[in-house]
Amino acid sequence: MSDDIYDDPDSSSINIRPCDNTENIYMNAVPKRSQQRMKHSEIQDRSGDHNHGPYKLAVVFLGLLCVLLLVVIIGLCTTTEEARLRLETNIRDMAGERDKLQSRLWKLESDDMKKIKSHAVDVILDPDTAHRYLLLSADGKQVRFNSTRRNVPDNPKRFSSTMWLRVLGKQGFSAGKFYYEVQVKGKTWWDLGVAKESVNRTGDQHVSTEGGYWAIWLFDGTYAAGPWVSLSLKEKLQRVGVFVDYEAGLVSFYDADCWDHLYSYTNVTFTEKLYPFFDPSYSNGRNSSPLIISPVSICPIK
């Protein structure tokens, strides 16, 4: 019998003395094969606890991160929705203000148009100034290229350039305001505007302010004015309005159909008579339509 167990002759019970190697006693009572299995299982459990610790922490961290992201997304969605609603409200308010401003602008443009058109004059072409390759209508309202050189008398008023085919209006203006309209529909090349009385009528000078012309023109699909300032237009011109304020030194051009401002010469010092001038240019097979001085009528702005 083990030294750890003894008989008490005065008692029938067995006393077990406490000892520190209880585990050893227990293990001694277990078969060796079972002990090996138990130790192997314990090693696996301890090893598992050691290896899964960081993994569990990672899972917890990812879970917290997902919750945080969800909170942020919900907050952003709420903020985005509020921003969208505010933006829609602002857009509606801006659209309302735009409509009010547009209405006021239309009224101002209409008033401006009426004031300018109230200075309309009846322009008649002067046959004594017309180039020999120009043909005028009997009423003096239309001018076109004529392929046959006309046999007309020489006079100092007549244009005789080899390049430019010009004609002036009969009436000159040395004060006040005047306005007229010209139909340019169907043409690919033209010049028109006002010219001072002393312009060179025999040379090949291009229209320019230095030469005494304040004009706009169309050439090869490009609209231009001044020292070759290209004009960007929404649509092709059908009728051009020309307005002159002599004292203010102003020459302005408009799309007479939709009343769009095209170009203005400003702060010009006029010292002599101004005449409406026209150049329908050569036909070249595509430019045979005439320039037509149109009746001026006040109509609603489109």
Side-chain angles (χ1 to χ4, degrees):
M1 182 175 291
S2 171
D3 293 337
D4 294 328
I5 302 174
Y6 61 92
D7 293 336
D8 184 353
D10 297 330
S11 173
S12 61
S13 61
I14 299 176
N15 293 325
I16 302 177
R17 187 175 60 187
C19 64
D20 296 331
N21 58 346
T22 306
E23 182 178 353
N24 293 333
I25 296 172
Y26 171 77
M27 292 300 295
N28 289 332
V30 178
K32 290 185 179 181
R33 186 179 300 275
S34 298
Q35 290 181 32
Q36 292 175 353
R37 286 199 298 267
M38 291 174 64
K39 289 181 179 180
H40 179 69
S41 177
E42 181 181 358
I43 292 172
Q44 283 186 327
D45 291 342
R46 291 177 181 176
S47 176
D49 290 341
H50 176 74
N51 292 335
H52 292 340
Y55 172 76
K56 291 178 180 179
L57 289 175
V59 170
V60 171
F61 175 77
L62 289 175
L64 291 174
L65 183 60
C66 290
V67 171
L68 180 60
L69 288 175
L70 182 60
V71 171
V72 172
I73 290 171
I74 292 173
L76 287 176
C77 290
T78 303
T79 304
T80 303
E81 179 65 15
E82 292 175 354
R84 184 184 65 79
L85 292 175
R86 285 197 299 268
L87 180 60
E88 289 180 352
T89 300
N90 291 337
I91 290 174
R92 285 194 296 269
D93 292 342
M94 291 173 64
E97 291 299 320
R98 179 204 60 197
D99 293 341
K100 291 179 183 178
L101 290 173
Q102 189 68 54
S103 178
R104 293 175 187 172
L105 180 60
W106 284 340
K107 185 179 185 305
L108 289 173
E109 288 180 342
S110 179
D111 293 343
D112 181 54
M113 176 188 69
K114 290 176 181 178
K115 289 178 182 178
I116 289 177
K117 289 194 172 188
S118 68
H119 298 287
V121 294
D122 184 21
V123 176
I124 303 295
L125 299 173
D126 184 357
D128 290 339
T129 65
H131 195 281
R132 284 181 169 82
Y133 282 96
L134 292 181
L135 184 63
L136 277 57
S137 62
D139 62 359
K141 294 290 185 178
Q142 300 185 30
V143 56
R144 71 170 70 235
F145 170 73
N146 187 53
S147 58
T148 303
R149 187 177 185 273
R150 294 182 301 123
N151 186 17
V152 292
D154 289 329
N155 71 73
K157 295 172 60 178
R158 191 177 307 283
F159 287 94
S160 58
S161 167
T162 59
M163 292 182 61
W164 312 108
L165 310 179
R166 295 166 183 160
V167 59
L168 301 181
K170 281 186 175 182
Q171 182 182 3
F173 302 86
S174 56
K177 304 172 184 178
F178 63 96
Y179 174 81
Y180 63 95
E181 294 179 354
V182 185
Q183 179 179 307
V184 296
K185 181 179 180 181
K187 296 192 65 60
T188 59
W189 188 5
W190 49 261
D191 303 67
L192 62 88
V194 293
K196 65 182 183 181
E197 188 173 26
S198 63
V199 291
N200 187 334
R201 308 197 184 201
T202 61
D204 292 334
Q205 186 178 26
H206 179 72
V207 291
S208 65
T209 54
E210 292 79 7
Y213 295 93
W214 294 268
I216 65 171
W217 59 89
L218 169 66
F219 176 71
D220 196 23
T222 300
Y223 295 96
W228 286 102
V229 176
S230 179
L231 305 179
S232 298
L233 307 183
K234 298 177 182 177
E235 298 178 355
K236 293 183 64 175
L237 292 173
Q238 306 297 314
R239 287 189 306 144
V240 177
V242 184
F243 174 69
V244 177
D245 185 335
Y246 194 97
E247 283 76 19
L250 173 69
V251 182
S252 294
F253 298 87
Y254 297 89
D255 181 334
D257 290 318
C258 61
W259 202 244
D260 281 341
H261 175 255
L262 302 175
Y263 189 80
S264 287
Y265 297 90
T266 59
N267 300 319
V268 182
T269 301
F270 298 121
T271 57
E272 55 186 280
K273 277 187 178 182
L274 298 177
Y275 290 82
F277 97 91
F278 312 84
D279 184 346
S281 195
Y282 293 91
S283 174
N284 63 24
R286 300 181 295 117
N287 192 39
S288 58
S289 298
L291 289 175
I292 303 174
I293 300 169
S294 304
V296 175
S297 61
I298 298 177
C299 56
I301 297 176
K302 297 180 179 179

